[in-house]
Amino acid sequence: MRIKSLSITFAILVVSALFTPRSSAQRPDSMMPEQSEAKGKQILSDLINALGAAGYTEVRESQCDGRRVLFGHNGEPTGNIGFSDYRRFPDKDRVEYIGKGRNTILQSLIGLDGLDFSHGGIVITLFNGDHGWTFDRSGVNELPAISISDFQEQVKRNIDNLLRLRLKEPGITIRFGGNDTVDLKQVDWVEITDSQERKFRLAVDRATHYLIRSSVTTKDEETQQYNEDVSIYSIYRLKDSVWTPLQITREHNGRRAVQIFYETCKFNPGFPDELFEKSSLSKQGAQSLAKKNKN
């Protein structure tokens, strides 16, 4: 009996010796910087491959249609609106909002004031690099400088831009952020910091390698406070060459702000350049006026 007990004890010690170094190696604070970077890059590689590999990285355009739901401070939905989003990465974005009847929440839904959507119809926001315009019942108007700078900041924070175009930028650092359970899934965290001190944290599902959650932390230079914007991704489906989350929930500083439900998505459809130019909005206005007169 004593020999058997000693054998069992020895076996336990051997197993402990085998597994303890491996477990500690998964802790970010116990890894050398180059090991942490290598592991972070491997997780990002697995993520990109899971999203479609070259089918994901070679996407330069997308068109997604769906609905956007806004949430109030009490967490209750305050309204929703349909939209079509046309993107040419990294910094061209045209969003057409479609509403029926009176709609008083559009300004909050898209973050712009002064748009006339009181009788339904179409309102368009168009960004092209450092230019921006809107189209509504009043015609085509220039976007204010603050809206354009906000959009340019969103371009830098965009996770698709980060994964497709920014990972090799000068000043980008990548490290392993540890293991965790997020939304009942085992995940690996990757932490990415860019040259302007934006801190990205990506939670990657250890089973599927899909992106489960992302957060971007930035410092408000006026208040010296840190803001955190979180996106939660779910319901992945294969659309063309890309595994796409059809539901995205966005939170700002811990409060749910917007939920997006995609109905369809197309990738690299081949948009004409004119789609992202101011002239296309003038043409849209002429077409809408002709349709109204015809009816």
Side-chain angles (χ1 to χ4, degrees):
M1 292 296 293
R2 185 178 179 182
I3 295 175
K4 184 176 181 181
S5 299
L6 289 173
S7 299
I8 293 173
T9 302
F10 178 74
I12 292 173
L13 291 173
V14 170
V15 170
S16 299
L18 289 173
F19 283 96
T20 299
R22 183 177 179 182
S23 298
S24 62
Q26 300 303 306
R27 294 175 54 192
D29 55 359
S30 68
M31 302 176 70
M32 297 296 290
E34 59 271 18
Q35 293 175 314
S36 179
E37 180 182 6
K39 186 168 181 64
K41 287 182 176 180
Q42 182 59 54
I43 296 168
L44 289 176
S45 177
D46 292 340
L47 166 61
I48 290 171
N49 285 334
L51 294 178
Y56 173 78
T57 58
E58 293 176 5
V59 166
R60 291 297 176 264
E61 294 179 343
S62 67
Q63 176 187 345
C64 290
D65 305 325
R67 300 197 68 80
R68 183 176 295 191
V69 179
L70 180 74
F71 293 88
H73 288 282
N74 60 358
E76 293 295 322
T78 59
N80 68 82
I81 193 166
F83 70 90
S84 294
D85 188 356
Y86 306 83
R87 283 184 179 268
R88 178 175 287 171
F89 297 97
D91 62 355
K92 295 178 174 61
D93 188 27
R94 175 190 179 113
V95 185
E96 300 181 357
Y97 298 91
I98 306 98
K100 299 179 180 179
R102 294 186 61 83
N103 194 313
T104 59
I105 64 167
L106 182 70
Q107 294 175 1
S108 298
L109 279 168
I110 65 177
L112 293 172
D113 294 326
L115 297 177
D116 184 358
F117 205 59
S118 57
H119 300 286
I122 296 178
V123 166
I124 301 173
T125 61
L126 175 59
F127 293 94
N128 188 330
D130 56 359
H131 299 283
W133 308 271
T134 61
F135 167 80
D136 64 357
R137 293 169 61 85
S138 66
V140 179
N141 296 282
E142 300 279 341
L143 277 166
I146 185 64
S147 297
I148 295 172
S149 62
D150 287 346
F151 169 73
Q152 291 173 333
E153 176 63 23
Q154 291 171 20
V155 167
K156 291 293 187 179
R157 299 183 191 183
N158 183 278
I159 298 301
D160 288 317
N161 277 337
L162 176 70
L163 295 176
R164 290 186 177 119
L165 304 171
R166 301 193 59 211
L167 290 180
K168 295 184 179 180
E169 279 184 3
I172 288 281
T173 62
I174 300 171
R175 66 184 296 270
F176 174 55
N179 311 121
D180 201 357
T181 301
V182 175
D183 299 331
L184 302 180
K185 296 179 175 66
Q186 292 294 312
V187 304
D188 290 317
W189 284 99
V190 181
E191 297 180 356
I192 305 168
T193 305
D194 70 9
S195 60
Q196 295 177 305
E197 297 302 315
R198 298 179 189 86
K199 185 175 181 179
F200 302 83
R201 298 188 75 238
L202 309 184
V204 180
D205 190 322
R206 301 186 77 181
T208 65
H209 302 297
Y210 292 152
L211 185 61
I212 300 300
R213 184 176 296 223
S214 68
S215 75
V216 186
T217 303
T218 54
K219 187 176 183 180
D220 188 319
E221 295 301 330
E222 293 184 4
T223 65
Q224 297 299 301
Q225 300 295 315
Y226 285 91
N227 295 311
E228 183 184 33
D229 292 285
V230 172
S231 297
I232 303 167
Y233 310 90
S234 58
I235 314 179
Y236 277 85
R237 296 290 184 270
L238 182 61
K239 301 294 181 180
D240 292 335
S241 62
V242 179
W243 283 93
T244 306
L246 298 186
Q247 182 173 314
I248 301 176
T249 302
R250 303 199 189 281
E251 300 176 351
H252 179 69
N253 291 338
R255 184 181 67 83
R256 183 166 58 168
V258 176
Q259 201 160 17
I260 300 170
F261 301 89
Y262 291 116
E263 297 169 359
T264 62
C265 279
K266 300 177 182 178
F267 296 95
N268 290 335
F271 297 135
D273 291 340
E274 183 188 20
L275 186 68
F276 301 100
E277 296 174 0
K278 181 181 179 181
S279 59
S280 69
L281 299 180
S282 300
K283 184 178 293 186
Q284 177 76 42
Q287 292 172 345
S288 299
L289 182 61
K291 183 178 181 179
K292 181 177 180 181
N293 293 335
K294 183 178 179 180
N295 294 337

